[in-house]
Amino acid sequence: MGLSESDKREFKDALYEAREAAERKSEEVENLKTELTETRDKWEKAQDRLDELETKMNRRDLDTNPGADTAEMSGERKAFKQWINGANVSGEAYREHLYPGESKGETKDLSIGSGAGNQSDALAPVEFVEEIIDDVVDISPIRQVARTLQTERKQVEIPKLQARPNAAFVSEAGTRSDDTGLDFGADNGDMLVIDTHEFFVEVPVTRQMIEDAVFDVEAEIRDYVSTEMDRLLGEKHLRGTGTGEPQGMITDANFQTVTTADTTSDSVDAVSAEELRNLPLRLKQEYRNNGVWGVTREGLRHARTLEDSSGEFIFEPSLDASTPATIDGFEYVEMQDLVASATAGQGDIPYVFGDYQQAYYVVDRLQMEVIRDPYTAKSSGKIEYHFRGRCGGDLALAEAVKGIEIA
């Protein structure tokens, strides 16, 4: 069966297209051959040029004694030849040969960096980190463990029980007499009176520092002042005089201490394991059940080394987050302000134990007020920040806490 006319036409068209494609491929191959030939010619010419330059370089005479054959040369040629042969000829000397008699003018050396090891200072700027490196401030946590009261008055009066009623047995028909011994301590002389005292910090800051600093200066000032105020209050609630400031817990006349038996040492080493173990037993059971040790950092180090009569350490480290470290079974907090310095001496109290909620009262009138004053020091370009607060404190119940005093 023969092909139809339409099939013949399609076959002829396909054959024609295939022939044209073959011709195009042949043309491309020829072009590629031409390009390769031209590239090879250029490469050969470049290689010939490199060979020629190498030959000329090998023929150059670099004298080891550059001044040997310069007797008949001009000054300019002598200097140039010396420079070509590696002699230490300064630019100023060569210029003198080229332009004799010309004024030299003023010249300066270019120096990068400020000294040895700092050659890149001018071209390598430093990176500024937006944080301030500061140390940790010891803050005695007496305010956290004591009882804190808020007031809107300058003074707080708290009744103090002076006497309890007396109970007695009586017969069935016996006379029941009135007991007048109960005294709630509501008289003025029987009350615990706590005055609130003002404390302050004033910080002047230049306007330009506030405008140009890359961090929030005002926020940083508030943070540091708040830390300083907490430090001051922690110190005064423990060792304040009561005159113009809170009455300190351990400086109160009613605070009771036990003196160390070891009189050969006037340091914290005088405190024995038995004295630490016996101090909580000097308090009533209810106070003891809620009792917490207050120790200095030095006192804590010493307590970790003490052993009881059985050779067991009285310090028990924490095993996990739910089990805090203890001294003879009682928790502790660090109160560094129990002593005035890092090292305790004669008369210092490095250890206290008690129920601080019952023993000491803190009264807050005004925790912290901030006044931004841009006017007073405006002539000197400064803004003054006034921070103030009002607070008081006093030993409320002396029998709820006791200390160990170094003899």
Side-chain angles (χ1 to χ4, degrees):
M1 182 176 178
L3 297 174
S4 64
E5 289 298 328
S6 61
D7 292 338
K8 289 179 180 180
R9 282 195 301 272
E10 289 180 3
F11 178 75
K12 287 180 180 181
D13 292 340
L15 185 60
Y16 177 75
E17 291 176 359
R19 186 169 58 251
E20 284 187 341
E23 291 176 354
R24 283 196 300 271
K25 286 293 182 183
S26 177
E27 221 177 276
E28 291 176 1
V29 171
E30 290 297 329
N31 292 337
L32 182 59
K33 288 180 179 179
T34 303
E35 291 177 0
L36 290 174
T37 301
E38 292 176 354
T39 302
R40 184 173 61 253
D41 292 342
K42 291 179 181 179
W43 183 85
E44 290 177 351
K45 289 179 180 180
Q47 186 64 39
D48 292 342
R49 179 59 177 163
L50 289 174
D51 293 341
E52 181 182 354
L53 291 175
E54 184 179 2
T55 301
K56 289 181 179 180
M57 291 291 294
N58 291 334
R59 285 203 303 266
R60 177 172 293 177
D61 182 18
L62 298 179
D63 294 341
T64 58
N65 186 9
D69 58 348
T70 59
E72 299 179 357
M73 292 184 180
S74 64
E76 294 84 354
R77 293 186 64 188
K78 288 179 182 179
F80 184 74
K81 182 174 178 60
Q82 290 173 357
W83 179 73
I84 286 294
N85 285 277
N88 186 16
V89 180
S90 67
E92 189 61 37
Y94 186 63
R95 182 179 180 86
E96 180 66 26
H97 285 291
L98 292 179
Y99 308 102
E102 181 184 10
S103 176
K104 298 180 181 179
E106 182 180 359
T107 61
K108 292 184 178 180
D109 293 333
L110 175 63
S111 176
I112 298 178
S114 57
N118 297 314
Q119 298 298 311
S120 63
D121 286 359
L123 302 179
V126 299
E127 179 181 354
F128 183 83
V129 179
E130 295 182 24
E131 66 179 42
I132 299 175
I133 300 175
D134 58 355
D135 56 351
V136 174
V137 177
D138 283 322
I139 300 175
S140 295
I142 181 65
R143 289 174 59 87
Q144 283 71 47
V145 295
R147 177 170 297 185
T148 302
L149 306 175
Q150 300 289 334
T151 183
E152 295 183 355
R153 307 286 178 143
K154 63 179 296 184
Q155 189 179 76
V156 172
E157 295 181 346
I158 307 173
K160 225 177 157 180
L161 186 66
Q162 300 298 307
R164 294 179 177 274
N166 295 311
F169 287 95
V170 65
S171 64
E172 179 180 358
T175 303
R176 277 82 170 164
S177 60
D178 293 337
D179 188 294
T180 59
L182 179 61
D183 186 353
F184 291 104
D187 298 334
N188 289 336
D190 297 336
M191 291 189 180
L192 174 66
V193 179
I194 302 178
D195 295 318
T196 57
H197 309 279
E198 182 170 339
F199 55 98
F200 77 100
V201 177
E202 290 186 0
V203 181
V205 184
T206 63
R207 291 176 178 271
Q208 290 191 15
M209 175 181 286
I210 296 175
E211 294 165 354
D212 299 340
V214 297
F215 51 82
D216 190 341
V217 174
E218 295 187 3
E220 293 292 336
I221 292 174
R222 292 170 189 263
D223 182 53
Y224 290 127
V225 169
S226 177
T227 300
E228 169 57 19
M229 287 183 167
D230 288 343
R231 183 209 63 78
L232 174 69
L233 294 178
E235 173 191 343
K236 296 305 180 182
H237 287 314
L238 286 175
R239 295 189 292 108
T241 63
T243 303
E245 61 187 29
Q247 174 61 58
M249 181 177 70
I250 66 174
T251 52
D252 189 279
N254 296 319
F255 182 76
Q256 299 176 8
T257 61
V258 177
T259 306
T260 55
D262 184 0
T263 58
T264 62
S265 174
D266 58 356
S267 69
V268 73
D269 295 334
V271 181
S272 67
E274 284 302 310
E275 288 169 336
L276 283 176
R277 301 196 74 173
N278 289 335
L279 186 65
L281 298 176
R282 297 179 182 275
L283 302 180
K284 295 177 181 178
Q285 182 176 357
E286 184 175 348
Y287 302 140
R288 188 168 66 248
N289 291 342
N290 299 318
V292 176
W293 282 103
V295 298
T296 64
R297 189 161 49 249
E298 180 192 33
L300 179 61
R301 289 198 303 267
H302 178 63
R304 291 175 66 98
T305 66
L306 296 178
E307 301 177 3
D308 61 15
S309 57
S310 302
E312 300 290 334
F313 287 104
I314 65 172
F315 179 85
E316 300 171 9
S318 172
L319 300 178
D320 52 55
S322 61
T323 308
T326 61
I327 298 175
D328 197 32
F330 296 98
E331 298 181 23
Y332 67 87
V333 292
E334 290 189 40
M335 297 181 180
Q336 192 60 28
D337 292 305
L338 285 171
V339 298
S341 62
T343 304
Q346 184 179 9
D348 285 334
I349 305 172
Y351 299 95
V352 293
F353 180 85
D355 181 355
Y356 306 109
Q357 285 278 324
Q358 300 291 330
Y360 193 81
Y361 280 23
V362 173
V363 177
D364 282 331
R365 172 67 177 88
L366 178 67
Q367 289 191 344
M368 189 171 77
E369 178 186 61
V370 184
I371 300 175
R372 186 179 187 271
D373 181 7
Y375 306 111
T376 303
K378 65 180 185 300
S379 59
S380 57
K382 296 179 180 178
I383 296 176
E384 292 183 342
Y385 292 88
H386 303 263
F387 299 85
R388 60 184 292 269
R390 295 175 65 186
C391 180
D394 205 342
L395 182 64
L397 199 59
E399 69 172 19
V401 63
K402 283 182 172 54
I404 297 178
E405 181 178 349
I406 299 175

